[in-house]
Amino acid sequence: MFNGDSLFYSRLLTELTLSFHIIYATIGVGVPLMIMIAQWVGIKKNDEHYILLARRWARGFVITVAVGVVTGTAIGLQLSLLWPNFMELAGNVIALPLFMETFAFFFEAIFLGIYLYTWDRFEDQRKHLLLLIPVAAGAAFSAVFITIVNAFMNAPQGFDVVNGELVNINPILAMFNPAMPTKVAHVVSSAFMTSAFILAAIAGFRLLKGSDHIYHKKALYLTMKLGLIFSIATAIIGDFSGKYLADYQPEKLAAAEWHFETSKDAPLILFGKLENGEVKYAIEIPKALSILAYTDPSAEVIGLDQIKEEEIPPLYIHYLFDIMVSIGVWMTLLSFVYWLGMKRSWSFINSKWYHWLIVLGGPLSIVAIETGWWLAEVGRQPWILYGLMKTSDAATTSGHVDMMLILFAGLYLILAVGSAIVLSRMFRRNPVERELEERRAEKGGAVQ
């Protein structure tokens, strides 16, 4: 292959790996908190349904963790194989957060194992619940530390550049870079939101399939309420992310919003189509971009006219932004209507068509996560290390990346199909009704 081919296939393989890994990583970050909340509610209300909810979620979570470990390992491998020049330049800086991410995972895995094998060994369930705190914390901090690496790539600091090398490295200063607060908060909150809506989709699907058990209704209500809380949090943090971009990466904001000319009272462009440099069929919200960027409807927002042509990100990121925001707004409204409908006893929220909307919300939330990551990564182009190293200078020149792409794609296909089959059989062979009946027999008829 030519060097250009190596770059193309390196980017394609990295995108494939991250796109596949982000699904399991998101579940891995969000589900432990959902388990902990369900078990806490069960203890507080003395409700065996919520306890069983935590127990069943924990079983499925183990499968997703196993797949996440494989894909996470693949990412670490590909950093060195596909982007050797980047690792040579920045490896000493990102080594600390990468190590801390590994430590956080081990911390989570140790307590997860203890938690799983001590379900019936505690008479006081509150002691068992305490084991989930390090599990949830470890999962969240895994996301924190790996996102810090990504934040550093967007806002590198904590070093001096001498003869093209990074010296006098301060890893703590590098970790706490300007991009870190908004990126970390957005990743963690969106993981909680997405996990809640995925679990809600599962509960909604069981109700659609004819299981009218109260267990699924409680699961649906709990997860939709949590999804609403975290979707609002994600939207607020997203607003801060826009303000960060306006100050530190104006070209990404301008490309995502199709803001071509620097101007005051800048409008926000939603949807639309770009034809020969002209925006058509778009919805224009007056002054909204100035508000998003600086909380001032009259503020001046830098446009692409002030950016070097070779440093303008691909303009199709506007579509990624629209998809991400549209799904986020839709899921917020869907969950709010469901929560309000439960409070007001509206009958339509228990209808089949509304349950179908909830079920579709699960995959839609995954699409939002994917488009959000594509927006973040493609929007940084042409830089792999913002302002210091371009992606084209970081890639390997190996002629075998195309073969790696085929092999890893096959691996991911096997993992996706295998995990889906295992999860499906795990819960189909052990339905809620049977497990409740068995626990009722163990407890002398206490469980309904």
Side-chain angles (χ1 to χ4, degrees):
M1 291 190 300
F2 297 106
N3 289 348
D5 294 329
S6 297
L7 173 62
F8 171 77
Y9 285 117
S10 294
R11 292 187 64 181
L12 188 60
L13 177 53
T14 303
E15 181 178 11
L16 174 64
T17 302
L18 287 173
S19 298
F20 185 71
H21 175 70
I22 195 64
I23 299 173
Y24 292 90
T26 297
I27 294 171
V29 172
V31 169
L33 181 65
M34 304 298 121
I35 297 171
M36 187 168 70
I37 292 174
Q39 190 164 347
W40 175 75
V41 172
I43 294 170
K44 184 180 178 181
K45 294 185 175 183
N46 193 26
D47 190 325
E48 187 67 23
H49 292 128
Y50 289 103
I51 300 292
L52 183 60
L53 196 61
R55 191 165 187 159
R56 289 172 67 87
W57 283 350
R59 292 184 198 138
F61 174 65
V62 173
I63 306 302
T64 61
V65 168
V67 178
V69 169
V70 176
T71 54
T73 303
I75 290 174
L77 177 66
Q78 290 171 19
L79 272 176
S80 298
L81 293 179
L82 302 180
W83 309 103
N85 296 334
F86 166 73
M87 292 301 291
E88 182 179 359
L89 178 68
N92 289 338
V93 185
I94 65 175
L96 179 59
L98 287 176
F99 169 78
M100 295 300 293
E101 190 272 338
T102 304
F103 177 81
F105 170 74
F106 283 139
F107 187 72
E108 171 196 359
I110 290 169
F111 282 94
L112 176 61
I114 298 172
Y115 173 80
L116 290 172
Y117 287 101
T118 54
W119 259 105
D120 298 314
R121 298 179 183 273
F122 289 99
E123 292 185 9
D124 187 349
Q125 277 289 311
R126 290 174 296 181
K127 295 179 180 178
H128 189 236
L129 176 64
L130 291 176
L131 292 171
L132 276 175
I133 296 176
V135 174
F141 276 102
S142 290
V144 168
F145 289 121
I146 202 65
T147 306
I148 284 175
V149 175
N150 184 268
F152 171 77
M153 294 167 70
N154 284 272
Q157 67 172 31
F159 54 83
D160 296 320
V161 180
V162 178
N163 297 326
E165 296 183 359
L166 307 188
V167 298
N168 301 325
I169 295 169
N170 184 335
I172 302 300
L173 184 60
M175 288 172 62
F176 289 91
N177 57 74
M180 188 274 286
T182 54
K183 273 197 166 292
V184 166
H186 194 70
V187 166
V188 174
S189 66
S190 61
F192 293 153
M193 176 195 75
T194 303
S195 297
F197 285 135
I198 289 173
L199 294 173
I202 295 171
F205 183 75
R206 294 306 306 157
L207 291 170
L208 278 171
K209 295 296 286 185
S211 179
D212 199 37
H213 203 285
I214 187 65
Y215 168 92
H216 299 299
K217 295 179 180 178
K218 290 178 179 179
L220 183 59
Y221 180 69
L222 175 64
T223 50
M224 288 295 281
K225 185 163 64 173
L226 291 172
L228 173 61
I229 293 170
F230 288 115
S231 62
I232 294 172
T234 302
I236 294 172
I237 297 166
D239 178 70
F240 286 113
S241 298
K243 291 171 173 54
Y244 164 80
L245 292 178
D247 287 333
Y248 293 93
Q249 290 179 288
E251 67 275 20
K252 180 187 284 190
L253 180 65
E257 302 298 343
W258 284 350
H259 184 58
F260 294 100
E261 296 182 2
T262 301
S263 62
K264 297 182 179 180
D265 308 313
L268 186 68
I269 304 297
L270 295 176
F271 309 110
K273 183 180 180 181
L274 196 61
E275 292 183 355
N276 301 319
E278 182 181 354
V279 179
K280 296 183 178 180
Y281 319 117
I283 299 173
E284 186 174 297
I285 305 177
K287 303 186 177 185
L289 183 56
S290 292
I291 296 172
L292 173 65
Y294 298 108
T295 322
D296 179 358
S298 300
E300 182 179 79
V301 181
I302 295 175
L304 294 176
D305 58 334
Q306 293 193 20
I307 308 299
K308 295 179 181 178
E309 185 176 352
E310 66 270 17
E311 295 182 4
I312 295 177
L315 295 181
Y316 71 80
I317 65 173
H318 172 79
Y319 301 115
L320 302 177
F321 175 82
D322 283 345
I323 294 171
M324 177 188 69
V325 171
S326 298
I327 293 175
V329 171
W330 168 250
M331 294 308 300
T332 303
L333 292 174
L334 185 70
S335 55
F336 175 74
V337 170
Y338 179 85
W339 172 79
L340 189 62
M342 290 293 290
K343 294 291 184 182
R344 301 289 182 87
S345 299
W346 294 342
S347 59
F348 74 87
I349 63 169
N350 293 315
S351 63
K352 283 191 174 182
W353 66 266
Y354 203 85
H355 282 164
W356 270 118
L357 294 179
I358 293 172
V359 171
L360 291 174
L364 280 177
S365 297
I366 295 175
V367 171
I369 284 286
E370 295 283 12
T371 52
W373 267 108
W374 295 339
L375 170 64
E377 295 304 291
V378 177
R380 191 179 64 246
Q381 299 307 312
W383 304 102
I384 189 170
L385 191 60
Y386 185 73
L388 291 175
M389 175 178 276
K390 291 189 175 181
T391 305
S392 56
D393 298 325
T396 181
T397 57
S398 170
H400 304 289
V401 185
D402 52 349
M403 181 58 65
M404 286 180 60
L405 174 62
I406 295 172
L407 293 175
F408 274 103
L411 172 63
Y412 302 150
L413 179 62
I414 293 171
L415 289 173
V417 173
S419 59
I421 292 174
V422 170
L423 286 169
S424 176
R425 289 183 177 179
M426 177 186 294
F427 293 108
R428 189 169 62 246
R429 293 178 177 180
N430 190 28
V432 170
E433 292 80 4
R434 179 195 298 173
E435 191 161 357
L436 284 170
E437 185 68 28
E438 291 173 354
R439 293 185 66 79
R440 180 171 60 181
E442 291 175 3
K443 294 178 178 290
V447 182
Q448 300 299 321

